[in-house]
Amino acid sequence: MQLLKQLLNFYINSSIHVALAVYALTYLTLIEFGVLYNETVLYFVFYATITGYNFVKFFGLAKFHHRSLAGWLKAIQVFSLICFVLMCYYLLSLPTKTLIYISLFGLVTFFYAIPLVPKRIFVDKHHNLRSIGGLKVYVIALVWTGVTVFLPLYSNGFTINTDVIITAFQRFIFVIILMLPFEIRDLKFDSLKLSTIPQKIGVKYTKGIGVFLVIVVFLVEFFKDELTKSGIAAFTVTLIVMVLLLIFSKVNQNKYYSAFWVEGVPILWLLLRLFLS
């Protein structure tokens, strides 16, 4: 049992779970628009997510404590290095125009972790994008939308149409909703200057806004030109699960509640879509 718990913790802390979530959303985009499974793009997204997330999470720790890193952190560093090499392998297989597009999100990830922007606009000593008050959730939603919607379509030469724009809007809101339980959990850790949504309006109203956004995302689905029964069914069940997870989220939540169950919602969505198709 202890070994299983350690493996689960490594699975979550090494960002494999969040990488599968991003992979799932990217795959869902290909399915929705009838694009064939693209191993290069999907595997690149998976390994890039692990590399990027671990860089953001552990940059400070590795920088200042590299001589006395805990064993689990050293293991994650080695694992991240392997994923970085695999990311580069798939990156070199992508078209040049796609590389330029990807570089934009690479820069966002870099500035999200590295303190290189003027200090006066930050709320704490880190001086990076995630420390700008109220910006964190929107930066993450923007990057996830660009990577999981536009990247797979752009790489496959798919023309951007109204349905793509609607999907991008939905994905942006979807990620924001997905992050609300995390923001509620982090109320006891985040600086008040970060101005997160729960800090601004409280837990009760955060949940209310989240439910409202779920309704908006669901209704917008019917503005698309191309719809399938299996797609609507999978999307509906996914949104219901999201609402339940949001409603039952709290400040003092189990450590796996958001990190595993909430983060796993995109994976559930993909499995439902594949099963119902």
PDB file of all heavy atoms in Angstrom, residues 204-225:
ATOM      1  N   LYS A 204     -18.197  30.869  -1.808  1.00  0.00           N
ATOM      2  CA  LYS A 204     -19.586  30.671  -2.226  1.00  0.00           C
ATOM      3  C   LYS A 204     -19.845  31.256  -3.606  1.00  0.00           C
ATOM      4  O   LYS A 204     -20.420  30.594  -4.489  1.00  0.00           O
ATOM      5  CB  LYS A 204     -20.531  31.300  -1.201  1.00  0.00           C
ATOM      6  CG  LYS A 204     -22.001  31.166  -1.562  1.00  0.00           C
ATOM      7  CD  LYS A 204     -22.884  31.828  -0.505  1.00  0.00           C
ATOM      8  CE  LYS A 204     -24.359  31.752  -0.885  1.00  0.00           C
ATOM      9  NZ  LYS A 204     -25.212  32.404   0.140  1.00  0.00           N
ATOM     10  N   TYR A 205     -19.447  32.497  -3.820  1.00  0.00           N
ATOM     11  CA  TYR A 205     -19.698  33.144  -5.111  1.00  0.00           C
ATOM     12  C   TYR A 205     -18.791  32.595  -6.214  1.00  0.00           C
ATOM     13  O   TYR A 205     -19.153  32.617  -7.392  1.00  0.00           O
ATOM     14  CB  TYR A 205     -19.534  34.656  -4.978  1.00  0.00           C
ATOM     15  CG  TYR A 205     -20.666  35.298  -4.213  1.00  0.00           C
ATOM     16  CD1 TYR A 205     -20.473  35.785  -2.919  1.00  0.00           C
ATOM     17  CD2 TYR A 205     -21.940  35.401  -4.763  1.00  0.00           C
ATOM     18  CE1 TYR A 205     -21.517  36.358  -2.200  1.00  0.00           C
ATOM     19  CE2 TYR A 205     -22.996  35.982  -4.062  1.00  0.00           C
ATOM     20  CZ  TYR A 205     -22.774  36.442  -2.782  1.00  0.00           C
ATOM     21  OH  TYR A 205     -23.815  37.002  -2.077  1.00  0.00           O
ATOM     22  N   THR A 206     -17.602  32.107  -5.833  1.00  0.00           N
ATOM     23  CA  THR A 206     -16.721  31.462  -6.808  1.00  0.00           C
ATOM     24  C   THR A 206     -17.409  30.239  -7.389  1.00  0.00           C
ATOM     25  O   THR A 206     -17.393  30.011  -8.607  1.00  0.00           O
ATOM     26  CB  THR A 206     -15.389  31.049  -6.152  1.00  0.00           C
ATOM     27  OG1 THR A 206     -14.695  32.223  -5.720  1.00  0.00           O
ATOM     28  CG2 THR A 206     -14.516  30.275  -7.135  1.00  0.00           C
ATOM     29  N   LYS A 207     -18.021  29.447  -6.518  1.00  0.00           N
ATOM     30  CA  LYS A 207     -18.755  28.268  -6.974  1.00  0.00           C
ATOM     31  C   LYS A 207     -19.942  28.670  -7.847  1.00  0.00           C
ATOM     32  O   LYS A 207     -20.233  28.024  -8.866  1.00  0.00           O
ATOM     33  CB  LYS A 207     -19.229  27.442  -5.776  1.00  0.00           C
ATOM     34  CG  LYS A 207     -18.101  26.799  -4.983  1.00  0.00           C
ATOM     35  CD  LYS A 207     -18.638  25.997  -3.803  1.00  0.00           C
ATOM     36  CE  LYS A 207     -17.511  25.349  -3.013  1.00  0.00           C
ATOM     37  NZ  LYS A 207     -18.019  24.565  -1.855  1.00  0.00           N
ATOM     38  N   GLY A 208     -20.630  29.745  -7.450  1.00  0.00           N
ATOM     39  CA  GLY A 208     -21.769  30.220  -8.233  1.00  0.00           C
ATOM     40  C   GLY A 208     -21.366  30.646  -9.628  1.00  0.00           C
ATOM     41  O   GLY A 208     -22.032  30.298 -10.620  1.00  0.00           O
ATOM     42  N   ILE A 209     -20.270  31.382  -9.728  1.00  0.00           N
ATOM     43  CA  ILE A 209     -19.765  31.812 -11.038  1.00  0.00           C
ATOM     44  C   ILE A 209     -19.331  30.603 -11.854  1.00  0.00           C
ATOM     45  O   ILE A 209     -19.555  30.545 -13.068  1.00  0.00           O
ATOM     46  CB  ILE A 209     -18.592  32.800 -10.863  1.00  0.00           C
ATOM     47  CG1 ILE A 209     -19.124  34.154 -10.401  1.00  0.00           C
ATOM     48  CG2 ILE A 209     -17.805  32.945 -12.162  1.00  0.00           C
ATOM     49  CD1 ILE A 209     -18.060  35.202 -10.210  1.00  0.00           C
ATOM     50  N   GLY A 210     -18.719  29.622 -11.180  1.00  0.00           N
ATOM     51  CA  GLY A 210     -18.292  28.412 -11.874  1.00  0.00           C
ATOM     52  C   GLY A 210     -19.458  27.665 -12.495  1.00  0.00           C
ATOM     53  O   GLY A 210     -19.390  27.233 -13.648  1.00  0.00           O
ATOM     54  N   VAL A 211     -20.546  27.529 -11.749  1.00  0.00           N
ATOM     55  CA  VAL A 211     -21.747  26.856 -12.263  1.00  0.00           C
ATOM     56  C   VAL A 211     -22.335  27.646 -13.427  1.00  0.00           C
ATOM     57  O   VAL A 211     -22.751  27.064 -14.446  1.00  0.00           O
ATOM     58  CB  VAL A 211     -22.801  26.685 -11.141  1.00  0.00           C
ATOM     59  CG1 VAL A 211     -24.116  26.151 -11.721  1.00  0.00           C
ATOM     60  CG2 VAL A 211     -22.277  25.742 -10.064  1.00  0.00           C
ATOM     61  N   PHE A 212     -22.356  28.962 -13.298  1.00  0.00           N
ATOM     62  CA  PHE A 212     -22.859  29.816 -14.383  1.00  0.00           C
ATOM     63  C   PHE A 212     -22.022  29.634 -15.646  1.00  0.00           C
ATOM     64  O   PHE A 212     -22.573  29.526 -16.758  1.00  0.00           O
ATOM     65  CB  PHE A 212     -22.841  31.282 -13.943  1.00  0.00           C
ATOM     66  CG  PHE A 212     -23.128  32.260 -15.053  1.00  0.00           C
ATOM     67  CD1 PHE A 212     -24.426  32.424 -15.526  1.00  0.00           C
ATOM     68  CD2 PHE A 212     -22.104  32.999 -15.623  1.00  0.00           C
ATOM     69  CE1 PHE A 212     -24.694  33.316 -16.565  1.00  0.00           C
ATOM     70  CE2 PHE A 212     -22.359  33.882 -16.657  1.00  0.00           C
ATOM     71  CZ  PHE A 212     -23.665  34.047 -17.127  1.00  0.00           C
ATOM     72  N   LEU A 213     -20.700  29.578 -15.497  1.00  0.00           N
ATOM     73  CA  LEU A 213     -19.812  29.398 -16.654  1.00  0.00           C
ATOM     74  C   LEU A 213     -20.009  28.035 -17.301  1.00  0.00           C
ATOM     75  O   LEU A 213     -19.909  27.908 -18.526  1.00  0.00           O
ATOM     76  CB  LEU A 213     -18.354  29.576 -16.227  1.00  0.00           C
ATOM     77  CG  LEU A 213     -17.928  30.997 -15.846  1.00  0.00           C
ATOM     78  CD1 LEU A 213     -16.489  31.011 -15.356  1.00  0.00           C
ATOM     79  CD2 LEU A 213     -18.097  31.958 -17.013  1.00  0.00           C
ATOM     80  N   VAL A 214     -20.294  27.018 -16.495  1.00  0.00           N
ATOM     81  CA  VAL A 214     -20.575  25.689 -17.040  1.00  0.00           C
ATOM     82  C   VAL A 214     -21.808  25.749 -17.935  1.00  0.00           C
ATOM     83  O   VAL A 214     -21.830  25.162 -19.030  1.00  0.00           O
ATOM     84  CB  VAL A 214     -20.787  24.659 -15.906  1.00  0.00           C
ATOM     85  CG1 VAL A 214     -21.403  23.366 -16.459  1.00  0.00           C
ATOM     86  CG2 VAL A 214     -19.466  24.337 -15.221  1.00  0.00           C
ATOM     87  N   ILE A 215     -22.840  26.453 -17.486  1.00  0.00           N
ATOM     88  CA  ILE A 215     -24.065  26.598 -18.281  1.00  0.00           C
ATOM     89  C   ILE A 215     -23.776  27.320 -19.593  1.00  0.00           C
ATOM     90  O   ILE A 215     -24.252  26.924 -20.660  1.00  0.00           O
ATOM     91  CB  ILE A 215     -25.150  27.358 -17.478  1.00  0.00           C
ATOM     92  CG1 ILE A 215     -25.569  26.523 -16.256  1.00  0.00           C
ATOM     93  CG2 ILE A 215     -26.358  27.661 -18.350  1.00  0.00           C
ATOM     94  CD1 ILE A 215     -26.473  27.262 -15.296  1.00  0.00           C
ATOM     95  N   VAL A 216     -22.959  28.377 -19.514  1.00  0.00           N
ATOM     96  CA  VAL A 216     -22.589  29.140 -20.715  1.00  0.00           C
ATOM     97  C   VAL A 216     -21.847  28.245 -21.705  1.00  0.00           C
ATOM     98  O   VAL A 216     -22.164  28.222 -22.904  1.00  0.00           O
ATOM     99  CB  VAL A 216     -21.715  30.352 -20.339  1.00  0.00           C
ATOM    100  CG1 VAL A 216     -21.138  31.005 -21.604  1.00  0.00           C
ATOM    101  CG2 VAL A 216     -22.515  31.364 -19.545  1.00  0.00           C
ATOM    102  N   VAL A 217     -20.865  27.506 -21.209  1.00  0.00           N
ATOM    103  CA  VAL A 217     -20.068  26.617 -22.067  1.00  0.00           C
ATOM    104  C   VAL A 217     -20.955  25.572 -22.736  1.00  0.00           C
ATOM    105  O   VAL A 217     -20.779  25.240 -23.914  1.00  0.00           O
ATOM    106  CB  VAL A 217     -18.952  25.936 -21.234  1.00  0.00           C
ATOM    107  CG1 VAL A 217     -18.339  24.776 -22.007  1.00  0.00           C
ATOM    108  CG2 VAL A 217     -17.877  26.933 -20.861  1.00  0.00           C
ATOM    109  N   PHE A 218     -21.923  25.042 -21.984  1.00  0.00           N
ATOM    110  CA  PHE A 218     -22.822  24.026 -22.532  1.00  0.00           C
ATOM    111  C   PHE A 218     -23.724  24.614 -23.616  1.00  0.00           C
ATOM    112  O   PHE A 218     -23.882  24.029 -24.699  1.00  0.00           O
ATOM    113  CB  PHE A 218     -23.673  23.435 -21.412  1.00  0.00           C
ATOM    114  CG  PHE A 218     -24.681  22.423 -21.892  1.00  0.00           C
ATOM    115  CD1 PHE A 218     -24.269  21.159 -22.299  1.00  0.00           C
ATOM    116  CD2 PHE A 218     -26.030  22.727 -21.956  1.00  0.00           C
ATOM    117  CE1 PHE A 218     -25.183  20.215 -22.761  1.00  0.00           C
ATOM    118  CE2 PHE A 218     -26.954  21.805 -22.410  1.00  0.00           C
ATOM    119  CZ  PHE A 218     -26.540  20.545 -22.818  1.00  0.00           C
ATOM    120  N   LEU A 219     -24.310  25.770 -23.366  1.00  0.00           N
ATOM    121  CA  LEU A 219     -25.230  26.384 -24.328  1.00  0.00           C
ATOM    122  C   LEU A 219     -24.520  26.809 -25.604  1.00  0.00           C
ATOM    123  O   LEU A 219     -25.075  26.697 -26.714  1.00  0.00           O
ATOM    124  CB  LEU A 219     -25.933  27.593 -23.696  1.00  0.00           C
ATOM    125  CG  LEU A 219     -26.898  27.272 -22.538  1.00  0.00           C
ATOM    126  CD1 LEU A 219     -27.473  28.554 -21.963  1.00  0.00           C
ATOM    127  CD2 LEU A 219     -28.016  26.346 -23.011  1.00  0.00           C
ATOM    128  N   VAL A 220     -23.291  27.289 -25.469  1.00  0.00           N
ATOM    129  CA  VAL A 220     -22.515  27.726 -26.633  1.00  0.00           C
ATOM    130  C   VAL A 220     -22.260  26.568 -27.588  1.00  0.00           C
ATOM    131  O   VAL A 220     -22.119  26.766 -28.807  1.00  0.00           O
ATOM    132  CB  VAL A 220     -21.178  28.366 -26.171  1.00  0.00           C
ATOM    133  CG1 VAL A 220     -20.230  28.554 -27.344  1.00  0.00           C
ATOM    134  CG2 VAL A 220     -21.432  29.712 -25.504  1.00  0.00           C
ATOM    135  N   GLU A 221     -22.243  25.351 -27.072  1.00  0.00           N
ATOM    136  CA  GLU A 221     -22.011  24.162 -27.894  1.00  0.00           C
ATOM    137  C   GLU A 221     -23.001  24.078 -29.054  1.00  0.00           C
ATOM    138  O   GLU A 221     -22.667  23.629 -30.155  1.00  0.00           O
ATOM    139  CB  GLU A 221     -22.123  22.905 -27.008  1.00  0.00           C
ATOM    140  CG  GLU A 221     -21.909  21.592 -27.738  1.00  0.00           C
ATOM    141  CD  GLU A 221     -20.452  21.310 -28.056  1.00  0.00           C
ATOM    142  OE1 GLU A 221     -19.569  22.092 -27.619  1.00  0.00           O
ATOM    143  OE2 GLU A 221     -20.185  20.298 -28.736  1.00  0.00           O
ATOM    144  N   PHE A 222     -24.218  24.539 -28.834  1.00  0.00           N
ATOM    145  CA  PHE A 222     -25.273  24.412 -29.841  1.00  0.00           C
ATOM    146  C   PHE A 222     -25.223  25.500 -30.912  1.00  0.00           C
ATOM    147  O   PHE A 222     -26.074  25.539 -31.802  1.00  0.00           O
ATOM    148  CB  PHE A 222     -26.639  24.388 -29.150  1.00  0.00           C
ATOM    149  CG  PHE A 222     -26.814  23.191 -28.242  1.00  0.00           C
ATOM    150  CD1 PHE A 222     -26.531  23.292 -26.891  1.00  0.00           C
ATOM    151  CD2 PHE A 222     -27.200  21.963 -28.767  1.00  0.00           C
ATOM    152  CE1 PHE A 222     -26.663  22.182 -26.059  1.00  0.00           C
ATOM    153  CE2 PHE A 222     -27.331  20.855 -27.941  1.00  0.00           C
ATOM    154  CZ  PHE A 222     -27.058  20.961 -26.584  1.00  0.00           C
ATOM    155  N   PHE A 223     -24.210  26.371 -30.832  1.00  0.00           N
ATOM    156  CA  PHE A 223     -23.987  27.356 -31.886  1.00  0.00           C
ATOM    157  C   PHE A 223     -23.062  26.810 -32.974  1.00  0.00           C
ATOM    158  O   PHE A 223     -22.839  27.462 -33.992  1.00  0.00           O
ATOM    159  CB  PHE A 223     -23.381  28.641 -31.306  1.00  0.00           C
ATOM    160  CG  PHE A 223     -24.379  29.497 -30.567  1.00  0.00           C
ATOM    161  CD1 PHE A 223     -24.585  29.324 -29.211  1.00  0.00           C
ATOM    162  CD2 PHE A 223     -25.117  30.464 -31.230  1.00  0.00           C
ATOM    163  CE1 PHE A 223     -25.499  30.103 -28.526  1.00  0.00           C
ATOM    164  CE2 PHE A 223     -26.035  31.253 -30.555  1.00  0.00           C
ATOM    165  CZ  PHE A 223     -26.232  31.066 -29.194  1.00  0.00           C
ATOM    166  N   LYS A 224     -22.526  25.619 -32.755  1.00  0.00           N
ATOM    167  CA  LYS A 224     -21.628  25.018 -33.739  1.00  0.00           C
ATOM    168  C   LYS A 224     -22.407  24.450 -34.913  1.00  0.00           C
ATOM    169  O   LYS A 224     -23.548  24.007 -34.764  1.00  0.00           O
ATOM    170  CB  LYS A 224     -20.792  23.904 -33.075  1.00  0.00           C
ATOM    171  CG  LYS A 224     -19.838  24.393 -32.008  1.00  0.00           C
ATOM    172  CD  LYS A 224     -19.055  23.244 -31.394  1.00  0.00           C
ATOM    173  CE  LYS A 224     -18.088  23.725 -30.328  1.00  0.00           C
ATOM    174  NZ  LYS A 224     -17.359  22.601 -29.689  1.00  0.00           N
ATOM    175  N   ASP A 225     -21.755  24.417 -36.064  1.00  0.00           N
ATOM    176  CA  ASP A 225     -22.378  23.866 -37.269  1.00  0.00           C
ATOM    177  C   ASP A 225     -22.354  22.344 -37.259  1.00  0.00           C
ATOM    178  O   ASP A 225     -23.266  21.695 -37.770  1.00  0.00           O
ATOM    179  CB  ASP A 225     -21.647  24.381 -38.515  1.00  0.00           C
ATOM    180  CG  ASP A 225     -21.803  25.889 -38.683  1.00  0.00           C
ATOM    181  OD1 ASP A 225     -22.876  26.413 -38.330  1.00  0.00           O
ATOM    182  OD2 ASP A 225     -20.836  26.531 -39.137  1.00  0.00           O
TER     183      ASP A 225
END
